[in-house]
Amino acid sequence: MFALTDCQIFTGEQWLLDHAVVIDHGRISAVIPRGSLAPELPSHDLNGALLSAGFIDLQLNGCGGVMFNGDISEATLATMQRTSLASGTTSFLPTLITSPDADMRQAVAVTHAYMAKHANQVLGLHLEGPYTNLKRKGIHPARQIRPLDEPMLDFLCRHGDVIAKMTLAPECNQPEHIARLKAAGIMVALGHTAASYDEAMQGIAAGIGFATHLYNAMTPTGNGREPGVVGAVYDSPDIYAGIIVDGVHVHDANVRLAHKVLGSRLCLVTDATAAAGAGPELTQFDFCGTRVLVRDGQCLDEHGTLGGSSLTMVAGVRNLVERIGLPLAEALRMASLYPARAMGKDQDLGSISVGKVANLVVLNEDLSVKNTLVNGQFTE
């Protein structure tokens, strides 16, 4: 049991000064005025730093030089976790893009094993594909995009405790299949889709509750007569969305527009790849058989198709403040509280309040990461 003191605390709702966060057995046991602390309680002085709930990345393909698709193993997840901590990310969804059935089964087994050993770090697997639309495949391997069959549907539903999120194209999947996935506890997301507005709304009615990398790999609002998938997302009162705020994937004005419409249902995501947190020496990597070049922070194949990003969560938070013009409090919520709510994890994560897991990030004044805590333990 110990206290974190001399810090600017952002609880997720308000800023607190001259307060302390008391941590006991990995959870927050009190948030109280500093003067109320028992004199004998050990404390860690944060020297005026900012203390927030740790960031939650709902779309992480890889980082630190590794890709989950490239090596589906616990060692890869450990590298992703270790690398993510440097950017303030204490929890994430490892993302496996369009793959053969065998790889998907392996990813489920590996994720299950890792989660059993490391609580509140990997929050579940994100399967991005293969049940998407070839017309909006992006960098996903075309040869692996296919319909969802009954054996795999049964497998996916039986592992809803491990598969946190699944991205598919609503126009390529039966509404009853979407409903079954949702009933199994899986957050069904639309993405890599060429759906019309009506097709997207049918999928949302069947159980889709999230939009993967909003604007990217989906039909835009073409004109007043064609709302597209983006229009369907904006016209739905309950759907959450992830957005990549790196200045490359989405124009700043579109980020602002999305925030005005979706508000607390808009989550910062990275869609990061091996390039994130790897340093300038990494100039290329393999993404499911495609060579991706890293140039000026962009990840592009030889045809100029975006292959994920090199974004980190803390860089995304800075971009939300400096490029988009959002208040710091809202940027922090987009990186922590809103993702926790989207995945139904906000009873344990996403803000600083009594009873929640002490997954926290300590930030310097320039919004660089000073330290993180996972399950109440400092990671450095």
Side-chain angles (χ1 to χ4, degrees), residues 38-348:
E40 67 275 12
L41 182 66
S43 64
H44 291 272
D45 191 321
L46 298 182
N47 300 308
L50 188 160
L51 183 67
S52 169
F55 304 147
I56 302 171
D57 192 351
L58 302 182
Q59 189 173 4
L60 187 63
N61 307 289
C63 56
V66 302
M67 295 289 290
F68 195 42
N69 272 85
D71 180 13
I72 305 170
S73 68
E74 291 184 62
T76 297
L77 294 180
T79 298
M80 291 168 68
Q81 175 72 21
R82 184 172 60 252
T83 304
S84 293
L85 291 171
S87 67
T89 300
T90 52
S91 304
F92 67 97
L93 301 186
T95 298
L96 187 83
I97 75 160
T98 299
S99 301
D101 289 353
D103 286 5
M104 294 167 68
R105 292 175 184 272
Q106 182 180 350
V108 168
V110 165
T111 304
H112 181 268
Y114 191 88
M115 291 172 67
K117 299 171 188 173
H118 307 282
N120 305 306
Q121 297 178 38
V122 168
L123 302 181
L125 176 65
H126 173 201
L127 294 172
E128 187 182 348
Y131 315 119
T132 56
N133 194 317
L134 273 170
K135 295 178 182 178
R136 294 279 176 170
K137 70 178 184 61
I139 201 167
H140 288 226
R143 67 187 180 281
Q144 294 295 344
I145 294 176
R146 58 194 184 275
L148 174 57
D149 59 31
E150 185 60 37
M152 277 306 291
L153 177 60
D154 177 68
F155 171 81
L156 297 170
C157 290
R158 284 189 287 107
H159 292 89
D161 59 331
V162 179
I163 304 168
K165 184 152 74 89
M166 181 151 202
T167 297
L168 50 73
E171 74 276 18
C172 300
N173 290 270
Q174 299 176 33
E176 52 267 33
H177 287 180
I178 294 172
R180 283 174 61 183
L181 291 167
K182 180 185 178 182
I186 299 170
M187 168 63 80
V188 186
L190 55 76
H192 292 277
T193 169
S196 65
Y197 168 88
D198 290 335
E199 289 169 328
M201 292 299 281
Q202 184 180 33
I204 292 168
I208 287 174
F210 199 91
T212 293
H213 45 49
L214 185 67
Y215 295 113
N216 297 111
M218 62 180 63
T219 47
T221 298
N223 53 45
R225 298 176 301 281
E226 299 175 357
V229 171
V230 172
V233 172
Y234 284 171
D235 202 27
S236 301
D238 301 318
I239 193 170
Y240 282 80
I243 196 163
I244 308 166
V245 188
D246 61 354
V248 177
H249 281 76
V250 182
H251 192 285
D252 292 351
N254 274 333
V255 177
R256 284 190 287 271
L257 175 61
H259 183 261
K260 287 177 182 178
V261 177
L262 298 176
S264 62
R265 292 180 286 120
L266 188 65
C267 306
L268 175 68
V269 298
T270 64
D271 194 20
T273 59
E281 62 273 13
L282 182 68
T283 59
Q284 63 182 47
F285 59 92
D286 179 85
F287 202 168
C288 294
T290 297
R291 185 170 69 117
V292 177
L293 304 176
V294 184
R295 297 289 184 271
D296 299 323
Q298 297 185 46
C299 301
L300 303 167
D301 72 6
E302 61 182 3
H303 305 294
T305 300
L306 286 169
S309 83
S310 62
L311 184 68
T312 64
M313 286 294 279
V314 72
V317 168
R318 287 195 296 266
N319 287 341
L320 284 168
V321 174
E322 297 169 6
R323 296 180 63 106
I324 309 306
L326 293 183
L328 176 57
E330 183 67 355
L332 293 171
R333 280 189 286 261
M334 286 178 64
S336 54
L337 181 59
Y338 301 162
R341 285 178 179 168
M343 301 312 300
K345 300 291 186 181
D346 54 311
Q347 73 278 8
D348 286 319

Side-chain angles (χ1 to χ4, degrees), residues 327-375:
L328 176 57
E330 183 67 355
L332 293 171
R333 280 189 286 261
M334 286 178 64
S336 54
L337 181 59
Y338 301 162
R341 285 178 179 168
M343 301 312 300
K345 300 291 186 181
D346 54 311
Q347 73 278 8
D348 286 319
L349 300 169
S351 61
I352 297 177
S353 61
V354 174
K356 291 198 175 186
V357 175
N359 277 14
L360 307 170
V361 59
V362 183
L363 297 169
N364 295 310
E365 186 176 354
D366 63 355
L367 298 184
S368 61
V369 175
K370 184 175 184 179
N371 211 331
T372 50
L373 293 89
V374 175
N375 297 314

Side-chain angles (χ1 to χ4, degrees), residues 10-22:
F10 180 63
T11 67
E13 295 181 357
Q14 60 181 326
W15 294 94
L16 296 176
L17 299 176
D18 297 319
H19 277 63
V21 175
V22 181

